[in-house]
Amino acid sequence: LLQLVESGGGSVQSGGSLRLSCAASGTTTYSSYYMGWFRQVPGKEREGVAHIDSDGSTTYVDSVKGRFTISRDNLKNTLYLQMNNLKPEDTAMYYCVADWPPYGGTWSRKEEYNAWGQGTQVTVSS
């Protein structure tokens, strides 16, 4: 059974940086998974932040383009999200997600994903 465990969240001031990690266990086929990051603010829907295919192709929500970078290390079964120039509106719980075949068509739909981590909190103060 696939397990995803996030780490790296915390509190930073506006303009600061954080690097989130997501360690995957319980699988031998991690490299074939599509992976991503979602975030959620209380009272709002979960929002797709970034996505990376098995071949390394990446996609981002417009609000983080140029500031966030998603990457993966298939040897370590680990997903990353480098977040630079953080803004107060980036404050949220961040979740790691995984998708395996058959793949759906829309990376930003939370229903596309088969597994979720427990989340890590990111708080950005102005």
Side-chain angles (χ1 to χ4, degrees), residues 44-116:
K44 293 189 176 182
E45 287 289 317
R46 290 187 181 186
E47 174 188 44
V49 176
H51 178 266
I52 185 166
D53 289 349
S54 55
D55 63 1
S57 298
T58 59
T59 312
Y60 299 92
V61 68
D62 286 346
S63 60
V64 307
K65 285 180 180 177
R67 300 188 297 122
F68 289 12
T69 302
I70 188 171
S71 62
R72 64 192 298 166
D73 185 335
N74 290 335
L75 293 179
K76 296 181 178 180
N77 284 9
T78 302
L79 178 73
Y80 303 100
L81 186 67
Q82 178 66 45
M83 305 186 294
N84 297 328
N85 191 22
L86 282 160
K87 303 176 180 181
E89 52 264 42
D90 295 317
T91 295
M93 184 72 78
Y94 283 71
Y95 297 91
C96 171
V97 296
D99 188 19
W100 50 80
Y103 297 115
T106 307
W107 73 271
S108 58
R109 289 182 70 245
K110 60 183 186 294
E111 293 81 6
E112 297 289 342
Y113 296 92
N114 304 104
W116 291 73

